[in-house]
Every structure is written in structure tokens, then in C-alpha cells.
Amino acid sequence: MNDGHMSLWSEVFSTDPEYTKSYQGAGGFKGTAISSLYPIQRATQMFGPLGQGWGYEILADEFIPGAPILNETHGVIGNEQTHSLRIRVWANWKGSTIATIHYGLTPHIYSNKYGVQTDHEAQKKSLTDALKKALTMWGFSADVYMGLHDDPDYLRSISNEYAVAKSDDQAGAMVKQAIEYNDWTIKTA
């Protein structure tokens, strides 16, 4: 899977299960959610700091009116609103700039069993949604979106891979620290 066209996809395909959780959405849909910052962390690992190696620009930011909100006598008291954000995400990859456009959508004013609700963080949530979806187009956390985290065998395998990598990172850090300490003690002796 790591030919020239799939090299980025291959590098960012898997998701550390530590940054996921199971959820149940509206209508009984069950799935795996990814921590909001995980794709941003992975993009920073791949491309460099946000604003230097990769970034985004907001192309459209609007509130879209929706269904009417009714009172107890079925009179219209307002309309639901959804926040919509369209962004262009770019990155420097192997000497070229790559880019994709995606949307984020979040209910802003809506009605539920508790009455009329307003989400004051709709714009922030729409940006997070758009970033996660745009990065997915390049393969970031594609294993989650392809349903592989619902397969116990895959999840066990990927959990083991990340555990080994983390233990290797910790062991490497300890060795580096020991070498630096030994260099220091030799120089000061």
C-alpha cells in the first residue's frame, strides 16, 4: 500500500486507539470517535507546525436557517440554524503544496426534548469538524472511518503496535538520557 500515490495515506492511515472512544449517535448509530486534537497532532508530525508546514483558510462561514421551531400551540417561534464552515486545508508534502476543501457543520439553534437550545461553540465545532474531514481525505485516521476499529482483531493488533512503539520511544529516551549523563560525568571527571 506504500507506492508513490499512497505514501501519505499509508503513513497516516492508522489511529492510536488511546485517542478514540466508542459512541452512540442519534438514531442508535454506533461507532468510534477520534479525539479532536489527534488529527491535528498527526498533521503536525507529518508536515511541521500549523501555519508553517500546513494550515487552513476559511472560505465561507455562515448560519443556515432550518426547520421552524414551534411552541406548544404549534405557532412558529423561530427557525433552527446550522453553522456551516468551508475551509481549504493545505500542506507541504515532498516538495509540493497539496490542498483540499471540506465543510464542517454544527447545529447552532435547535429544538430537543429540553426545549430550544443554542450551542455557543458552534463555530469552533464546525472548524474542528472541517479540519478532521479534510485531513481524512489524505488518509488521516482512515482506519476508523473505514470501520476497522469495530473489528476486535484489528483493534488488538493496532493496540499492540502502538504499545510497542511507545515502549521503544520510552526505552530510546532512557538510553539517550543515560548516554548524555555518561558524557557529562566523563567530561566533569
Side-chain angles (χ1 to χ4, degrees), residues 73-87:
T73 61
H74 302 290
V76 175
I77 59 172
N79 284 74
E80 293 184 347
Q81 282 188 351
T82 299
H83 179 257
S84 173
L85 190 72
R86 184 167 51 111
I87 63 171

Side-chain angles (χ1 to χ4, degrees), residues 87-132:
I87 63 171
R88 176 183 176 269
V89 177
W90 58 269
N92 297 321
W93 176 249
K94 294 188 175 184
S96 297
T97 299
I98 58 174
T100 189
I101 294 174
H102 222 295
Y103 290 85
L105 297 168
T106 307
H108 173 57
I109 299 172
Y110 56 95
S111 183
N112 62 20
K113 65 183 180 181
Y114 303 109
V116 177
Q117 306 292 313
T118 302
D119 187 339
H120 298 287
E121 295 188 344
Q123 289 172 299
K124 177 186 74 121
K125 290 177 180 178
S126 293
L127 177 58
T128 300
D129 183 40
L131 281 170
K132 285 171 71 173

